[in-house]
Amino acid sequence: MNLKEIADELVAGCRENRAKENLDKLYAADAVSVEAADAMGMGRETHGRDAIRGKHEWWEGAHEVSGASVSDPFPHGEDRFAVIFEVQGKVKESGESFDMREVAVYHVADGKIVREEFFY
């Protein structure tokens, strides 16, 4: 897949609730995910597709989403693109509401996402 195909499929998967299913299709086995802050208490970096899948499972288990949107991708050269995520919901444990907006930058090499970085 080329950059545009990967970016378009990532956005479609997020919009259609297929983000976890897209991990095997779009991400390299040794991909790295970097958060802006250590939200899970396990450091900012997650290494490997299986660990990234675990982040998705943690998010789904800890949050109740009431609204979400994903922008169209913003390509940057031949190897990167960005997406803006907006999510509204509440933390299941505390009941605290949140309204989050973040930018994700994806790095692509050899037809797969090799790094994602979140800014919020």
Side-chain angles (χ1 to χ4, degrees):
M1 298 176 82
N2 65 34
L3 182 79
K4 181 177 180 350
E5 292 167 335
I6 292 168
D8 288 345
E9 180 57 26
L10 181 124
V11 167
C14 291
R15 289 176 178 166
E16 298 166 8
N17 202 25
R18 307 184 276 109
K20 275 197 317 192
E21 291 80 4
N22 262 347
L23 289 174
D24 289 330
K25 180 178 183 180
L26 301 179
Y27 284 70
D30 59 350
V32 176
S33 179
V34 183
E35 293 289 336
D38 182 7
M40 299 186 311
M42 299 170 57
R44 291 181 47 220
E45 289 194 15
T46 302
H47 296 265
R49 188 170 46 218
D50 290 337
I52 294 170
R53 186 181 318 329
K55 279 179 52 176
H56 284 257
E57 291 168 2
W58 170 82
W59 173 264
E60 292 170 359
H63 303 91
E64 184 178 309
V65 174
S66 58
S69 66
V70 182
S71 73
D72 288 336
F74 297 89
H76 185 331
E78 299 292 319
D79 66 344
R80 286 176 285 175
F81 67 95
V83 174
I84 300 170
F85 293 98
E86 295 187 60
V87 182
Q88 302 80 38
K90 69 178 181 177
V91 178
K92 288 180 180 179
E93 186 175 300
S94 67
E96 180 183 344
S97 295
F98 64 87
D99 190 357
M100 180 182 82
R101 185 172 189 205
E102 67 182 359
V103 173
V105 176
Y106 297 90
H107 301 254
V108 175
D110 299 322
K112 297 282 186 178
I113 294 169
V114 296
R115 183 177 181 88
E116 61 182 13
E117 299 170 314
F118 297 95
F119 298 78
Y120 46 85

